[in-house]
Amino acid sequence: MAALAASSLSAQGADTLTVMMNDLDDVEVTAQRVRQTTSNHEVIEKEDLNRENTGQNLPYLLQMTPSLVTMSDDGLGIGYSYFRVRGTDHGRINMTMNDVPLNDSESQLVYWVNLTDMASGLSSVDVQRGVGTSTNGSASFGASVNMNTFVYDTCNHFTVGFNGGMYNTFREMVSAGVKLPNNFYATARFSKVNSDGFLYRAASDLYSYSGSFGYFTKKTEAYVELFGGKEKTYMAWDGVDYNTAYGLEGADRRYNPAGKYTDDEGNEAYYKNQNDNYWQQHVQLHWNQRWHPQWTTAVTLHYTHGGGYYEQYKENKKFTSIGLQSFVDADGNTHKKTDYIRLKNMNNHFFGGVASVKFTDEAANAQFGVAANHYIGDHFGNITWIRDSLYPYALPFDYEYYRNQGRKTDVNTYLKANWFIIHRAQERLTLYGDLQYRYVDYRIDGTNDEDRGDLAIHEQFHFFNPKAGLTYENHGHLLYGSFAIANREPNRKNYTEAGMHDIQKPERLYDYELGYSYSGLWGKNDKAWGVGLNLYFMDYDNQLVLTGKYSSTGAYLTKNVKDSYRMGAELTFGVEFTKWFRWDGTLTLSRNRILNHSDWYDAYQSDWSGGDSQVEVQLGNVDIAMSPSIIAGNLFTFNTHGFMATIQTSVVGKQYLDNTMSDEASLKPYSTTNLNLSYELPLPARCPSIRLLCQVNNIFNAKYASNGGNWACRFEDTNEFYHSPWFYAQAGINVHAGFVVNF
């Protein structure tokens, strides 16, 4: 019972367990989404996604997904936020919006702050754990997340939402859908989110929008989808020490060191413009057509433009790091370092097309798809100010100290099919097959921002990704097994910020999944219940694992390890005790290991002499960084007469910050509990519906850190490690309340 009470909750409870058996979809807005019959996945619909939405980024609304862990820089989940599935960071999780790649082509990340309150504009989210079915864009190494925006509604609607809470957190949202004559339909949404953040000077000023206009009949869908957003966030990615993160010895957990410097009078100060600014616009043109009861096609053209910069105060840095000369003043003093303010800029374009043709029959269905996308990204940096007033050389206005350009072409084609070997009313035996070929051409040319060295990188990859599985379903019982191979190329940081011994290679994953589930009814009133167990073994070749180090922009760095694996069991359960009370949860137990691991470290003597060389250390078999062996939680739902209350508990086990397995460089296990209350006013049918909501996060005020990193070196005279870890403190108890009005 204790283990179940600590299990991480299921998005759909018992109903989730039946969703794994799906045919290829009919022609609709989700025409390109194909649900693999052997993949363990959840579909979260718009109503469930937004029931407890108070403006946190999408990862926090997906916490009900098994094996998923969230973290944020600002401590609230409003600013920069991230998630991992089965210990895999979200830069290696495939994410699409209406089947168009959403991951940045170079970093392979999705920056949720660019599209704040995305959930308000989504119709559904499909989360597939493991490799999953073939999709467009980057490889899926831990999961794939397919988001849909447009949904055709036969009724006009208008929605207004507002909520406010602690740390000056506010969200305003307005959306509308209008049915027009002659089968046309239009939607629009605008969201504004502001927060000071839990940490000092971790403020976020965000907005996003979406809109669509389309033509819909039983056989034809043609529509344009527009969405985008803009963010301004104060940096909070520097992290703090252990005592500060956990509030020990009177430390202030809200402390944020970003932008700290010493002014001319020797006083401690913080640079007020230490912030990140970025904007992004997406345009998608969709045409889905049913030509015959068995044949449909889907074609999408897309274009994304993004641009922005971050401004940063750097203290006591070498002139040579920004391409300037050191100098000797009139008194004979040599000046090698100074303070300066830098702007690091990006401007990128992403465009392409995806297309598919689908055949559906009682005995089988199949889909053939192709996608071709191209990315162009400019990266350049400016120095706008230096402190040293004696600097004798002319510093041009907005002096540019580096510039490079990344270009990436990504082409893939796939063929996948379901064959219904047995296809009776209550019994099905289905064979699944999926073959994908992917070609990647990636170039970086120019000057590196890290060491100002020349960049002349040109890599080409040819990947073949086969998948197969078998599913048997009979009277609520579902048994399935699958095998898949996935290949993934390194990202930009793997090339530009790799260590001297870290030769970056593509990684390969062999994913084995085996599962059983049952869902049915019990009791006199036909109450629902279900249980499921999924076993997985993910065997990697040259997996890129976190090293514990990170770049100057807060990006976590990785390196190849030859042999590693992730294996685990994911338990899901749900039971409806009455029509007004249900209990849901999941429990993930896993083992995540690197075999025969070695790594290079800066070498010092214990008196800190040396440091000009590195030493290779044999570490043996070690746990993979940031991969907890237990991810668990619990959900109680009470729902009666317009009132709903949920009590959600999440538990995450111990996580090492790097691969040395040092307790000093690890995150303590933590547990958080959130309480969500809502009440829909009992108004007459002709009146707008009004729903009041209140959210109390971390009601037991747990002091915890959900993310961090570590710098380690080796003392050669003692053969001991020295660790310098940092942590990201998360907010204690915080309260938010508001309302939603639907006309």
Side-chain angles (χ1 to χ4, degrees):
M1 291 294 294
L4 292 177
S7 59
S8 124
L9 64 126
S10 163
Q12 303 285 332
D15 297 336
T16 304
L17 303 174
T18 65
V19 81
M20 291 179 286
M21 190 65 187
N22 284 281
D23 299 342
L24 302 180
D25 296 336
D26 293 334
V27 58
E28 53 186 17
V29 175
T30 60
Q32 295 180 41
R33 176 187 293 180
V34 182
R35 294 172 186 163
Q36 177 184 346
T37 58
T38 57
S39 178
N40 194 11
H41 72 274
E42 290 72 41
V43 178
I44 303 99
E45 302 294 346
K46 182 181 182 67
E47 181 181 356
D48 297 314
L49 196 64
N50 284 281
R51 183 178 292 119
E52 297 163 357
N53 179 13
T54 58
Q56 288 180 304
N57 284 312
L58 186 64
Y60 281 79
L61 303 180
L62 299 178
Q63 290 186 87
M64 298 173 286
T65 302
S67 304
L68 187 146
V69 177
T70 60
M71 61 283 303
S72 72
D73 287 354
D74 71 338
L76 287 177
I78 303 295
Y80 273 91
S81 304
Y82 318 91
F83 72 103
R84 299 187 180 96
V85 177
R86 296 180 178 177
T88 302
D89 65 276
H90 87 260
R92 292 150 71 217
I93 294 173
N94 172 274
M95 284 173 270
T96 58
M97 183 75 75
N98 306 318
D99 292 290
V100 173
L102 192 61
N103 301 72
D104 179 81
S105 293
E106 289 196 280
S107 71
Q108 302 183 26
L109 295 169
V110 172
Y111 297 98
W112 305 104
V113 287
N114 299 337
L115 299 168
T116 187
D117 196 27
M118 181 188 295
S120 295
L122 297 179
S123 61
S124 65
V125 179
D126 187 340
V127 182
Q128 300 186 43
R129 301 190 301 280
V131 171
T133 184
S134 288
T135 184
N136 302 311
S138 62
S140 173
F141 258 60
S144 59
V145 179
N146 187 318
M147 293 160 277
N148 273 351
T149 55
F150 195 89
V151 58
Y152 179 69
D153 197 339
T154 57
C155 300
N156 298 335
H157 66 84
F158 182 76
T159 302
V160 175
F162 170 81
N163 60 262
M166 295 176 64
Y167 308 110
N168 286 322
T169 301
F170 296 96
R171 166 183 171 260
E172 303 90 27
M173 185 277 294
V174 58
S175 68
V178 181
K179 184 182 180 183
L180 302 171
N182 301 317
N183 297 317
F184 285 94
Y185 190 74
T187 68
R189 176 194 61 85
F190 181 82
S191 297
K192 186 76 170 68
V193 178
N194 293 85
S195 176
D196 287 347
F198 169 66
L199 302 183
Y200 298 128
R201 300 177 317 282
S204 300
D205 184 2
L206 321 169
Y207 74 78
S208 73
Y209 63 87
S210 61
S212 59
F213 177 75
Y215 172 79
F216 297 86
T217 67
K218 290 184 177 180
K219 294 185 177 182
T220 302
E221 297 175 348
Y223 62 101
V224 59
E225 188 84 23
L226 307 172
F227 60 95
K230 184 177 182 180
E231 62 91 6
K232 181 175 183 178
T233 57
Y234 195 96
M235 294 179 190
W237 62 49
D238 286 353
V240 295
D241 62 30
Y242 182 89
N243 286 348
T244 303
Y246 291 99
L248 303 177
E249 299 180 4
D252 187 351
R253 299 185 67 242
R254 300 186 64 190
Y255 173 68
N256 178 14
K260 181 179 177 180
Y261 71 98
T262 304
D263 65 19
D264 292 333
E265 286 73 38
N267 300 314
E268 181 181 286
Y270 294 89
Y271 184 54
K272 66 178 181 178
N273 290 328
Q274 190 95 347
N275 51 46
D276 181 76
N277 305 265
Y278 195 81
W279 49 91
Q280 198 171 68
Q281 300 88 31
H282 301 253
V283 181
Q284 298 177 355
L285 301 175
H286 299 272
W287 175 38
N288 302 326
Q289 183 69 44
R290 178 177 293 284
W291 303 96
H292 181 273
Q294 294 178 313
W295 292 92
T296 59
T297 59
V299 178
T300 299
L301 301 177
H302 65 88
Y303 170 71
T304 301
H305 176 237
Y309 66 93
Y310 72 79
E311 187 171 348
Q312 191 174 31
Y313 191 105
K314 302 294 288 184
E315 189 174 30
N316 197 32
K317 298 298 181 181
K318 292 181 179 179
F319 280 109
T320 54
S321 67
I322 53 174
L324 300 178
Q325 301 179 46
S326 57
F327 67 96
V328 179
D329 62 25
D331 297 326
N333 299 313
T334 300
H335 295 249
K336 294 184 177 181
K337 296 182 178 180
T338 188
D339 297 358
Y340 58 76
I341 297 172
R342 69 178 184 181
L343 269 64
K344 300 188 74 172
N345 309 270
M346 289 182 59
N347 185 47
N348 47 65
H349 306 268
F350 178 63
F351 52 89
V354 299
S356 65
V357 57
K358 190 183 303 181
F359 171 81
T360 304
D361 187 71
E362 290 185 0
N365 51 46
Q367 178 171 320
F368 172 76
V370 63
N373 304 297
H374 186 66
Y375 169 91
I376 303 172
D378 292 312
H379 308 259
F380 55 98
N382 302 107
I383 302 300
T384 61
W385 173 86
I386 59 173
R387 175 185 291 277
D388 203 319
S389 59
L390 301 177
Y391 190 67
Y393 307 108
L395 182 67
F397 177 73
D398 280 351
Y399 163 69
E400 186 174 284
Y401 70 101
Y402 77 89
R403 176 179 286 269
N404 59 72
Q405 184 183 79
R407 299 185 299 278
K408 189 172 186 178
T409 299
D410 190 330
V411 179
N412 84 85
T413 183
Y414 61 83
L415 175 63
K416 47 191 171 185
N418 293 320
W419 176 32
F420 303 117
I421 302 172
I422 299 175
H423 193 182
R424 304 188 184 103
Q426 295 292 331
E427 184 180 23
R428 284 189 180 187
L429 178 63
T430 305
L431 178 65
Y432 173 82
D434 184 339
L435 302 175
Q436 183 195 51
Y437 166 74
R438 182 166 175 252
Y439 167 74
V440 177
D441 183 288
Y442 183 41
R443 300 169 181 263
I444 310 177
D445 296 294
T447 304
N448 194 353
D449 59 321
E450 292 300 313
D451 57 10
R452 301 194 71 255
D454 291 334
L455 289 172
I457 297 166
H458 184 198
E459 297 279 4
Q460 291 181 315
F461 303 97
H462 299 269
F463 296 138
F464 176 59
N465 304 314
K467 310 169 186 70
L470 190 67
T471 300
Y472 178 72
E473 184 181 23
N474 191 357
H475 290 85
H477 297 274
L478 180 66
L479 178 66
Y480 62 91
S482 67
F483 171 71
I485 298 176
N487 295 273
R488 177 184 176 272
E489 73 279 11
N491 63 30
R492 175 184 172 87
K493 295 296 183 184
N494 295 141
Y495 291 113
T496 61
E497 300 187 15
M500 59 182 291
H501 300 286
D502 299 333
I503 301 174
Q504 307 299 314
K505 302 175 183 177
E507 50 186 336
R508 174 171 293 179
L509 166 62
Y510 303 90
D511 182 26
Y512 305 82
E513 306 269 342
L514 178 65
Y516 166 79
S517 68
Y518 175 78
S519 59
L521 303 174
W522 71 282
K524 295 181 179 180
N525 297 320
D526 291 335
K527 296 177 285 293
W529 76 283
V531 64
L533 178 65
N534 184 69
L535 306 176
Y536 66 87
F537 182 75
M538 305 170 73
D539 186 17
Y540 294 88
D541 185 21
N542 288 320
Q543 181 181 187
L544 285 161
V545 301
L546 295 170
T547 63
K549 301 177 182 178
Y550 73 160
S551 71
S552 59
T553 62
Y556 283 82
L557 303 181
T558 59
K559 64 167 290 181
N560 289 111
V561 295
K562 178 57 181 172
D563 297 309
S564 59
Y565 67 86
R566 302 178 187 272
M567 63 183 297
E570 297 165 326
L571 171 68
T572 307
F573 71 90
V575 57
E576 186 180 57
F577 291 101
T578 69
K579 293 301 181 183
W580 54 268
F581 172 61
R582 65 179 294 132
W583 181 22
D584 300 280
T586 68
L587 171 67
T588 298
L589 301 174
S590 66
R591 184 175 175 86
N592 311 277
R593 301 285 280 177
I594 304 173
L595 305 179
N596 301 316
H597 183 47
S598 65
D599 208 345
W600 291 83
Y601 297 90
D602 294 337
Y604 291 87
Q605 300 298 314
S606 54
D607 62 359
W608 290 104
S609 60
D612 53 357
S613 64
Q614 289 195 321
V615 59
E616 185 177 18
V617 181
Q618 300 294 328
L619 298 170
N621 298 336
V622 297
D623 286 356
I624 302 176
M626 307 308 299
S627 301
S629 60
I630 179 171
I631 303 170
N634 187 73
L635 178 66
F636 294 120
T637 302
F638 306 85
N639 190 359
T640 180
H641 297 91
F643 172 77
M644 176 176 283
T646 62
I647 303 173
Q648 172 195 339
T649 299
S650 297
V651 175
V652 179
K654 180 179 180 178
Q655 302 174 73
Y656 292 108
L657 297 176
D658 65 6
N659 301 312
T660 61
M661 292 186 65
S662 168
D663 290 337
E664 183 181 355
S666 66
L667 297 176
K668 295 195 302 184
Y670 61 88
S671 172
T672 60
T673 299
N674 302 331
L675 172 66
N676 292 278
L677 305 172
S678 68
Y679 180 65
E680 187 163 340
L681 299 180
L683 302 176
R686 294 182 178 272
C687 295
S689 68
I690 301 177
R691 184 167 62 92
L692 308 178
L693 57 93
C694 179
Q695 183 179 82
V696 186
N697 297 317
N698 196 3
I699 60 176
F700 298 118
N701 200 32
K703 297 179 180 180
Y704 72 104
S706 63
N707 203 4
N710 181 53
W711 177 82
C713 68
R714 186 77 165 182
F715 291 144
E716 289 190 286
D717 53 345
T718 62
N719 289 325
E720 294 179 346
F721 278 110
Y722 171 83
H723 297 280
S724 180
W726 61 90
F727 306 84
Y728 294 89
Q730 303 299 289
I733 185 171
N734 57 98
V735 182
H736 308 267
F739 63 84
V740 178
V741 182
N742 287 295
F743 298 87

